[in-house]
Amino acid sequence: IAQWLCRLATVSRAASTFRVLPVGMEWPVAVLAVWSVTSALSLCSPNYYVLDDGAGLGRVFDGVGGLSGGGATSRLLVNYEEPYRGQILDYLFKPNFGASLHILKVEIGGDAQTTDGTEPSHMHYENDENYFRGYEWWLMKEAKKRNPNITLIGLPWAFPGWVGHGKNWPYDFPDITAAYVVNWILGAKQYHDLDIQYVGIWNERNYDSKYIKMLRYTLDKNDLEGVRIIASDNLWEPIALSLLLDPELSTAVDVIGAHYPGTTTVPDALKTQKALWSSEDYSTFNDEVGGGCWARILNQNYINGLMTATISWNLVASYYDKLPFGRDGLMTAEEPWSGNYVVESPIWITAHTTQFTQPGWTYLQTVGHLAQGGSYVSLTDGKGNLTVVIETMTHNHSVCVRPPLPKFNVTSQNATFQLKGSFVSIKELHVWRSQFNFKTKKPVFFEKQTPLTVMNGSFTLNLAEDEVYTLTTITTGQKGSYPDPPPSACFPKVYKDDFNVRNPPFSEAPDFADQTGVFEYYNNLTDPGPHTFTLRQVLTERPITWATDADQTISVIGDYEWENLTVTCDVFMESVRTGGVFIAARVDKGGQSIRSTNGIFFWVFADGTYKVTNDLAGQAVLAEGQSGTRAYGWHTLSLTVTGPLASGMLNGYPLWKNAVVLNPKNGWAAIGTHSFELAQFDNFAIVAQ
């Protein structure tokens, strides 16, 4: 009938255009003239979309999530004071408040640089286990407090050196690596009552099928049959083809995860019938264009690639802004010293999906692209509830950092939706809208609209460019809010830390961001005097990592814009003859670029010498000589930089002065060691101008 009416309406429109009616069609056309133009044409219009569960459903929805780690992306979050830290967590995890995330994925710390810093391992050494290091345990518990149903995922980006037995590769001994990962999962339950539901397998080069099978075996042997494996948590191929060819491997793997898939998958992945996830995505500066990127991929990852979960790298941009990929989180929280944070547009774009769906809902088969650009997805809980998410993001306003985005066009349009199947009786839909308003630069996000009346199972929307709509039967949506946080402020110009914390809540000292090595609070039982509690670099072996780290260990702190300052610190070397430590100013790089960082580095060594260099590698020497420093004794270093000149003091006396430093002009302060070696630091202080 619809097709006949469509043809009739077309004839009617053509006839009226030429003011000639076909013989015998005068009355039918006359009767249907108005109706045919306004209604029947919509049945064959490209702007007409059916939402129907009658012909069956699509894939099961697994959720939307955020990723903490890969690496050290939540480093500064733990240092916020209340109530601001709790508010940030509410915006991320609290149901029906902000992003209301369904999934939290965390790094299984491996002691190595993995993008913006290092995260400590639960096993620095083979005979060492500690399930209280780092902050991911705390973060998972805070997420669970707010959403007991949140899905927890762990993924190691790197491993302690002992796992590879001297090689920068973790899979030559799959039983050892599997035991290491399973210990982390067991520790999460034993010490924190956290049930890890998924574990990922990732490596920059390739996956290892023997390791995947061993991991499945080790999980099962430890009564962890319910923990599912995501592989290769990197690329669709070659894992997809391998799953088709290897039944044992296919049995071990539950989810194929891809990073930055560009909303598409590959035929072999679809043939496996496995759940497909975008297990790491987004990674884009969180301004309005970043919000547009997130809106587009949240819909189109399923439409184009049948991906049922999308996880943002990263969860919250809580690391120093000048580290790589600054502000690439769903929101920004990079100033614990001021309490300032920013709820960015991706939080509210996330809410368009997460507040009106849950894992276990199902996509309809009727999802797709809009005729004039944009897309729509529809999901149901199978109990009569329906949620539709529509986005009309234009190309230039939805570009993600990767992969490249092919050109496409989006224009304003009317879209008519027809409800069928079990949804035909719906009379009203609640409406939430975000308008990016790039021209006026006055965006409005996640604003509740007047409910939409559904007439005869149909409704029409006037969709402008760069908008996101949610239409839903769910009534619990809410745009949560708190009073404005304190204003943004620079890192304090006068800063000191004596590390005298008897029972520290976290293993890391506030505001220090480890870039190579791991610096932890240390209770020095052998020295009950003024240096009982110190900060200690604890690694003695290079970890296994895909990133470019340094041969030296280093932890940065402070304001990247600092030019003129004095850094002071007590140091204690624990390697006789070969030991070496430094303090530094104007450190200009971090993250994956740490190996090539420059600055002003004041070194002392256990062989009784000192050196001043313009680089972390220690090759650009500005001054050197005798210092009389030895291991197992405390020494006080002081570095002053003013304009192009730098001077250093040892134990209160000038050791060198007026070294000429032309570059860099500014950067962080830092502490570190000459190699992967034990060393302690105490009474750290900065005075900046």
Side-chain angles (χ1 to χ4, degrees):
I1 295 173
Q3 291 175 350
W4 180 81
L5 291 173
C6 177
R7 289 196 297 269
L8 181 60
T10 304
V11 170
S12 172
R13 181 169 60 176
S16 63
T17 300
F18 294 99
R19 300 183 182 276
V20 176
L21 297 179
V23 176
M25 292 292 292
E26 294 86 353
W27 273 107
V29 171
V31 170
L32 293 171
V34 175
W35 183 90
S36 66
V37 173
T38 60
S39 300
L41 272 175
S42 68
L43 296 175
C44 53
S45 166
N47 296 349
Y48 175 81
Y49 312 94
V50 174
L51 303 177
D52 186 6
D53 60 354
L57 298 171
R59 294 196 171 204
V60 174
F61 175 64
D62 292 310
V64 177
L67 201 168
S68 173
T73 54
S74 302
R75 175 64 194 90
L76 298 177
L77 174 61
V78 297
N79 302 137
Y80 273 81
E81 295 182 358
E82 298 295 349
Y84 310 115
R85 189 172 69 178
Q87 292 172 5
I88 295 165
L89 293 167
D90 284 350
Y91 279 116
L92 293 169
F93 301 116
K94 186 177 179 180
N96 301 314
F97 189 85
S100 307
L101 291 170
H102 303 137
I103 299 169
L104 172 60
K105 181 177 180 179
V106 303
E107 177 172 356
I108 300 175
D111 292 338
Q113 171 62 247
T114 53
T115 298
D116 288 299
T118 68
E119 296 201 27
S121 170
H122 58 290
M123 297 178 69
H124 292 320
Y125 313 107
E126 192 166 6
N127 60 352
D128 162 64
E129 290 186 57
N130 184 321
Y131 297 94
F132 295 92
R133 294 182 182 127
Y135 40 83
E136 304 295 5
W137 314 108
W138 165 84
L139 183 60
M140 287 188 285
K141 288 189 287 187
E142 291 296 323
K144 274 283 188 183
K145 284 180 186 177
R146 289 160 174 81
N147 178 6
N149 297 319
I150 197 165
T151 298
L152 298 179
I153 304 173
L155 173 67
W157 270 261
F159 297 86
W162 63 267
V163 172
H165 285 255
K167 294 183 180 180
N168 191 42
W169 180 247
Y171 301 127
D172 282 348
F173 303 91
D175 55 333
I176 293 175
T177 307
Y180 168 83
V181 172
V182 170
N183 281 345
W184 183 87
I185 297 172
L186 292 169
K189 182 63 176 177
Q190 180 178 349
Y191 296 99
H192 303 284
D193 196 27
L194 293 168
D195 293 302
I196 306 301
Q197 288 133 295
Y198 293 87
V199 61
I201 296 166
W202 181 88
N203 191 277
E204 184 76 359
R205 285 185 273 171
N206 204 340
Y207 72 98
D208 188 286
S209 61
K210 290 182 180 179
Y211 168 66
I212 295 174
K213 295 172 186 177
M214 178 58 69
L215 178 59
R216 180 72 270 164
Y217 169 79
T218 309
L219 287 167
D220 294 347
K221 187 176 69 173
N222 286 275
D223 299 321
L224 294 170
E225 293 89 350
V227 177
R228 300 176 181 180
I229 292 177
I230 305 169
S232 61
D233 216 334
N234 185 15
L235 301 172
W236 296 123
E237 296 288 13
I239 184 67
L241 179 60
S242 297
L243 293 176
L244 293 172
L245 298 176
D246 187 338
E248 184 184 358
L249 182 64
S250 182
T251 300
V253 173
D254 299 276
V255 176
I256 305 179
H259 292 191
Y260 310 99
T263 77
T264 63
T265 186
V266 296
D268 281 347
L270 295 171
K271 290 177 185 177
T272 67
Q273 295 298 304
K274 300 288 184 183
L276 308 180
W277 288 10
S278 179
S279 52
E280 182 179 323
D281 216 328
Y282 182 58
S283 185
T284 299
F285 191 78
N286 60 20
D287 59 5
E288 274 63 56
V289 173
C293 153
W294 188 231
R296 178 176 54 79
I297 63 177
L298 280 179
N299 267 20
Q300 296 192 29
N301 273 348
Y302 184 76
I303 295 166
N304 301 337
L306 292 181
M307 286 167 266
T308 55
T310 297
I311 300 173
S312 165
W313 189 90
N314 51 69
L315 172 72
V316 53
S318 201
Y319 45 98
Y320 286 114
D321 181 55
K322 297 301 182 180
L323 288 171
F325 303 101
R327 276 186 57 185
D328 278 17
L330 296 177
M331 62 181 293
T332 304
E334 58 189 19
E335 292 186 12
W337 47 87
S338 72
N340 179 260
Y341 63 85
V342 183
V343 183
E344 311 282 5
S345 63
I347 289 289
W348 303 119
I349 296 305
T350 308
H352 273 282
T353 298
T354 54
Q355 289 203 22
F356 309 105
T357 60
Q358 289 297 324
W361 281 45
T362 308
Y363 285 98
L364 304 189
Q365 290 188 18
T366 47
V367 302
H369 294 274
L370 299 171
Q372 269 73 57
S375 66
Y376 68 98
V377 294
S378 46
L379 302 96
T380 182
D381 64 353
K383 302 175 182 177
N385 283 310
L386 173 69
T387 291
V388 183
V389 184
I390 302 167
E391 59 82 20
T392 59
M393 298 309 305
T394 56
H395 179 277
N396 291 347
H397 295 154
S398 66
V399 176
C400 303
V401 71
R402 53 186 146 163
L405 182 62
K407 287 291 185 181
F408 61 87
N409 294 317
V410 178
T411 58
S412 299
Q413 58 197 294
N414 289 329
T416 298
F417 292 86
Q418 181 71 45
L419 305 185
K420 293 189 176 183
S422 66
F423 311 121
V424 72
S425 60
I426 293 174
K427 303 300 182 186
E428 183 180 78
L429 291 170
H430 300 276
V431 182
W432 293 80
R433 182 178 68 183
S434 291
Q435 295 177 304
F436 283 81
N437 294 329
F438 284 98
K439 291 182 180 179
T440 64
K441 298 183 179 179
K442 295 180 180 179
V444 179
F445 293 114
F446 202 58
E447 185 176 64
K448 189 173 185 179
Q449 308 293 297
T450 302
L452 185 151
T453 300
V454 181
M455 298 185 65
N456 299 319
S458 178
F459 61 90
T460 299
L461 293 175
N462 186 342
L463 303 173
E465 298 174 5
D466 298 322
E467 291 186 332
V468 179
Y469 275 87
T470 299
L471 302 101
T472 181
T473 56
I474 300 298
T475 61
T476 53
Q478 179 186 356
K479 186 173 184 178
S481 65
Y482 285 111
D484 290 341
S488 175
C490 295
F491 194 95
K493 290 186 176 182
V494 177
Y495 182 92
K496 60 183 178 180
D497 193 339
D498 60 11
F499 310 120
N500 288 340
V501 184
R502 184 172 295 274
N503 296 300
F506 301 100
S507 56
E508 302 95 336
D511 305 323
F512 279 90
D514 302 348
Q515 299 302 302
T516 300
V518 173
F519 295 73
E520 297 178 348
Y521 279 115
Y522 180 62
N523 187 341
N524 190 356
L525 299 176
T526 62
D527 187 350
H531 299 293
T532 302
F533 299 100
T534 65
L535 194 67
R536 192 188 200 197
Q537 200 296 117
V538 298
L539 300 188
T540 59
E541 184 178 10
R542 190 189 194 93
I544 300 168
T545 180
W546 60 271
T548 302
D549 60 1
D551 295 323
Q552 305 76 21
T553 74
I554 179 172
S555 187
V556 303
I557 188 172
D559 189 333
Y560 188 83
E561 302 306 321
W562 279 341
E563 299 178 9
N564 302 322
L565 68 158
T566 296
V567 182
T568 303
C569 190
D570 297 341
V571 299
F572 184 90
M573 293 172 279
E574 299 184 51
S575 296
V576 177
R577 292 186 299 276
T578 60
V581 295
F582 69 81
I583 62 174
R586 295 187 186 175
V587 175
D588 70 346
K589 295 187 189 75
Q592 298 163 268
S593 303
I594 191 64
R595 176 175 286 270
S596 62
T597 193
N598 295 314
I600 303 110
F601 295 84
F602 175 18
W603 310 75
V604 293
F605 299 95
D607 64 359
T609 64
Y610 79 90
K611 185 164 62 173
V612 183
T613 68
N614 207 178
D615 60 342
L616 176 62
Q619 301 302 307
V621 178
L622 303 175
E624 57 186 336
Q626 297 297 311
S627 63
T629 50
R630 294 289 184 267
Y632 293 98
W634 283 97
H635 306 281
T636 301
L637 305 184
S638 182
L639 168 65
T640 298
V641 183
T642 304
L645 300 178
S647 302
M649 300 179 71
L650 173 64
N651 299 327
Y653 295 94
L655 183 63
W656 55 275
K657 62 181 180 179
N658 295 332
V660 177
V661 183
L662 301 179
N663 287 295
K665 304 294 186 184
N666 55 274
W668 297 293
I671 57 175
T673 64
H674 180 246
S675 63
F676 288 93
E677 61 185 273
L678 300 177
Q680 297 177 52
F681 303 83
D682 202 2
N683 298 317
F684 179 83
I686 301 170
V687 178
Q689 297 179 17

